[in-house]
Amino acid sequence: MAASKPILYSAWISSCSFRVRIALNLKGVDYGYRAVTRTDLDYEKINPIKYVPALVDGDFVVSDSLAIILYLEDKYPQHPLLPQDLKKKAINLQIANIVCSSIQPLQCYAVIGLVDGKLGSDESLQIVRNYTDKGFKAIEKLLEGCDSKYATGDEVQLADVFLAPQIHAGVTRFQIDMSNYPLLERFYKAYMEIPAFQVAAPEKQPDAPASPY
Amino acid sequence: MAEAEAEAEATAGRLRLYSYWRSTCSHRARIALSLKGVDYEYKAVNLLKGEQSDPEFVKLNPMKFVPALVDGDSVIGDSYAIALYLEDKYPEPPLLPHDLQKKALNHQIASIVASGIQPLHNLTVLRFIDQRVGAGESVLWTQQQIEKGFTAIENLIQLKGCAGKYATGDEVQLADVFLAPQIYAAIERTKIDMSNYPTLARLHSEYMAHPAFVAALPGRQPDAPSSS
């Protein structure tokens, strides 16, 4: 009798969910997809802060993309996302945190502000671009001189899992000029050739609308 | 340049932490170092004076954030990355449990603080709020962000039934490293009413009684104003 597969609570457009979808795919973990919208009142029982994604593994529930991915890293050691080398591991975590603490939360604030009518569309876009540009510029600087296939080597690692969705959102939704970020632009092209990333893309999810953008 | 050489020798092998006394992110790194009993050199970066934009510091951390940890030729400019680096390099006492579920819960709580609360009320965001909405609005804004996050964490801890003496059991763990500075700042600076968050309020008293946490407090740092 096969063990029940993990369930991912996700929203198609959520870059945080996109990260976890990539990680699951890279590790070859089959999972069930549960689409969540802002109006799902029951979801609070799964995740008190009401954000996606959340992973339900048997009777265990974990939320927040970094926590989920580090859990997957331990439970499914295939295709490791963190190198053994402490310095390289640290740069992966630093880049992941620039994305998940310094870019995405401000993007989320700007998008929700627009949806809720608290911010005008120009203002919302300006906020997203401001924080995206700041983060991307810093990451570009941190990786200056990088000649490997991906951000920290020739294998996809944690930094890449966090960068891909952020760049994807920037390019598809917020008109970020990636020519300012040659390294990130090069990585992004490489990411989008990998099936694990392609299958995880927002437009490919069961809850994506017919005309996504 | 004999003086510089002597200084370099004295600090050789010693970690260096770039920190601002009041920065909650720096506070996290200081707690982790203190818990692990790691000696380090304190380099103050005055955020109010804009020292994070000094070219020398920007070279270390292009995000212009504190903390930054320098260990030989390793430079780590993020508190989460710093905490996990220290966890690997100085395994005792461990901040992460072996149990995968408890470990994940620690990461979840740390992430609510690091991604869900603090980034929405750091200095740059507050300046934006004050400019856009009106001077002083940032105070209300900060309160709202903290209350939202604290409600979620309080509910999560109660839902999981995980708290012991500390957030996820009877030992200090990663969640505590991230919670302590956020709760301290909420009480001291934002004057949050903690009666809605009984577990967090209790945890605060535990942290204030723990020597390693006390040593890391903002008021104890070399760059804290003497009158604070």
Side-chain angles (χ1 to χ4, degrees), chain A residues 148-175:
Chain A
S148 51
K149 192 169 184 192
Y150 306 110
T152 59
D154 292 331
E155 300 293 329
V156 165
Q157 307 260 253
L158 191 79
D160 305 296
V161 173
F162 278 68
L163 281 171
Q166 200 62 58
I167 301 169
H168 187 83
V171 163
T172 56
R173 298 166 65 192
F174 306 111
Q175 304 130 48

Side-chain angles (χ1 to χ4, degrees), chain A residues 49 51 60-61 63-64 67 70 74 86-87 89 94 97 100-102 105 109 118-119 123 127 131 134 138, chain B residues 62-63 65 73-74 77-78 80 84 88 100-101 103-104 107-108 111 114-115 119 125 128 132 141 148 152 160:
Chain A
I49 207 165
Y51 292 154
F60 172 60
V61 184
S63 189
D64 189 89
L70 293 178
D74 276 335
L86 293 198
K87 193 174 166 179
K89 191 175 180 183
Q94 183 173 348
N97 274 281
C100 72
S101 295
S102 300
Y109 156 71
K118 292 185 181 148
L119 293 170
E123 197 170 22
I127 293 168
Y131 288 98
K134 185 187 176 191
Chain B
M63 281 300 286
F65 286 160
D73 65 349
S74 285
D78 174 81
Y80 214 126
L84 296 186
D88 277 333
L100 293 199
Q101 298 187 4
K103 193 176 182 183
H107 281 304
Q108 184 173 342
S111 294
S115 299
V125 175
F128 166 78
R132 193 208 163 247
W141 169 265
K148 183 177 174 208
K160 297 277 186 178

Side-chain angles (χ1 to χ4, degrees), chain A residues 19 65-66 95-105 162, chain B residues 114-115 119:
Chain A
R19 296 169 198 157
S65 60
L66 183 60
I95 291 170
N97 274 281
I98 290 174
V99 172
C100 72
S101 295
S102 300
I103 305 177
Q104 193 281 338
F162 278 68
Chain B
S115 299

Side-chain angles (χ1 to χ4, degrees), chain B residues 8 10-11 13 26 29 60-61 120 126 134 148 156 180 183 193 217-218 223:
Chain B
T11 56
S26 304
L60 285 178
N61 189 3
L120 296 168
L126 295 184
K148 183 177 174 208
L156 177 65
I183 299 171
D193 178 2
L217 285 172
D223 57 334

Side-chain angles (χ1 to χ4, degrees), chain A residues 130-147:
Chain A
N130 176 252
Y131 288 98
T132 302
D133 284 326
K134 185 187 176 191
F136 281 6
K137 190 172 166 201
I139 295 168
E140 196 77 18
K141 200 81 190 137
L142 280 172
L143 297 178
E144 204 167 37
C146 171
D147 58 1

Side-chain angles (χ1 to χ4, degrees), chain A residues 170-183:
Chain A
V171 163
T172 56
R173 298 166 65 192
F174 306 111
Q175 304 130 48
I176 299 295
D177 184 359
M178 291 306 293
S179 68
N180 292 323
Y181 315 111
L183 284 174

